[in-house]
Amino acid sequence: MKWQTFFAIAGTPGLANGTEPPSRDWQPRYQEFARIAEQPPYSNEVKARIVELLALESELLLAVDEAGEAGSLGEGFLDYYYELVRLSWRFAKKGVRAAALALIRSTHCSGTETFEFVTRNYLRETLACELSISPRATIHYAESIAKLGKILGSRGAEIEAEIRLRIEERITEGLKSADYQTRLSAIWAARAAKLKATLPRLREIEGRVRANFRGSPPEKEELRMVLRFIEELEKLP
């Protein structure tokens, strides 16, 4: 199935069920990109291929994250990846839907301008993508919780009740995580989404950190955040 067709059917970028992630040997794809991106302006076919490459490499990053091998793709990969992001962002701003959908899945989507663009124009697709991230992909999962909290806090009135509930459950589960970054992202998300219902769990985190406090920088950061956000949530009506 062509990637553009899959995007249209699924409404969000990603691999079809049962499809193997792209090869970790990304160099041939980079060489193809370097060749086709050498001479702008780009034809529609070249634009489509650049967007397809971004989708492929985003899935590769996700697969590597799930394998617990983040950073294993070697020198130069991220330079290549962010060139794909840069060009796809240019295409998305000119109305290329497939480019916007590929950006939703990309690690660049946490950037303010890009994030605001996709949530404003592709809210449903963005939510579907973020909710599809597996906890096994710890880096992407932590990022998705933070983004979901931000969306719920700013666009909650536009989100249907069932999806709101799923987001709230994702944030609550994140607060229970043993992974430090996931937990920190969930603390931030609870505050961004103004979820007073998370106060008991935030107080539990405060108690646990205090009981085991050794003065490390991560402990200080977690305690600082949780105390500040408890105070803010308690003041909400």
Side-chain angles (χ1 to χ4, degrees):
M1 179 184 292
K2 297 295 290 181
W3 283 91
Q4 294 92 326
T5 304
F6 178 73
F7 289 171
I9 294 171
T12 184
L15 288 172
N17 291 335
T19 303
E20 290 296 320
S23 167
R24 293 196 184 200
D25 183 14
W26 54 269
Q27 289 287 351
R29 296 193 295 273
Y30 165 71
Q31 291 165 7
E32 177 193 359
F33 166 73
R35 176 177 54 80
I36 65 175
E38 189 175 25
Q39 295 293 335
Y42 304 124
S43 67
N44 288 336
E45 289 75 15
V46 169
K47 290 179 182 178
R49 181 55 179 164
I50 289 172
V51 169
E52 182 179 41
L53 287 170
L54 175 59
L56 285 167
E57 307 309 357
S58 294
E59 291 300 334
L60 177 56
L61 282 171
L62 184 63
V64 168
D65 187 6
E66 287 197 8
E69 299 173 2
S72 66
L73 293 174
E75 187 175 352
F77 177 82
L78 288 181
D79 290 337
Y80 155 51
Y81 184 76
Y82 283 114
E83 275 299 296
L84 293 171
V85 168
R86 182 181 66 83
L87 290 175
S88 295
W89 174 224
R90 182 192 302 175
F91 305 155
K93 288 188 290 185
K94 292 183 178 180
V96 179
R97 174 181 167 83
L101 295 177
L103 283 168
I104 289 170
R105 189 65 139 183
S106 78
T107 59
H108 184 71
C109 193
S110 55
T112 301
E113 187 179 9
T114 314
F115 184 79
E116 290 180 354
F117 175 85
V118 297
T119 54
R120 182 173 65 252
N121 296 287
Y122 301 94
L123 179 60
R124 183 182 295 272
E125 293 89 344
T126 302
L127 292 172
C129 177
E130 300 304 336
L131 287 167
S132 74
I133 303 295
S134 166
R136 295 190 303 273
T138 54
I139 296 172
H140 286 71
Y141 188 72
E143 290 177 351
S144 77
I145 290 175
K147 287 188 278 188
L148 287 167
K150 185 175 181 179
I151 294 170
L152 190 57
S154 61
R155 306 286 296 278
E158 303 169 53
I159 301 172
E160 55 197 75
E162 182 181 354
I163 302 301
R164 283 182 59 91
L165 181 59
R166 289 182 62 192
I167 295 171
E168 291 172 6
E169 288 173 347
R170 176 68 59 93
I171 294 171
T172 301
E173 286 302 310
L175 292 172
K176 301 175 184 177
S177 176
D179 178 71
Y180 172 77
Q181 195 56 56
T182 297
R183 200 166 58 251
L184 225 60
S185 292
I187 293 169
W188 186 92
R191 178 251 195 169
K194 300 179 175 62
L195 291 180
K196 289 193 71 172
T198 62
L199 276 170
R201 182 58 191 165
L202 292 173
R203 294 189 185 104
E204 286 179 15
I205 293 173
E206 177 195 355
R208 179 190 52 76
V209 175
R210 287 187 185 280
N212 299 285
F213 193 76
R214 297 293 183 272
S216 69
E219 289 173 322
K220 290 179 180 178
E221 177 64 9
E222 186 169 10
L223 185 59
R224 182 191 66 81
M225 284 182 62
V226 78
L227 287 174
R228 176 185 168 192
F229 297 162
I230 286 173
E231 182 180 4
E232 290 183 12
L233 288 173
E234 285 178 334
K235 291 178 180 178
L236 293 176

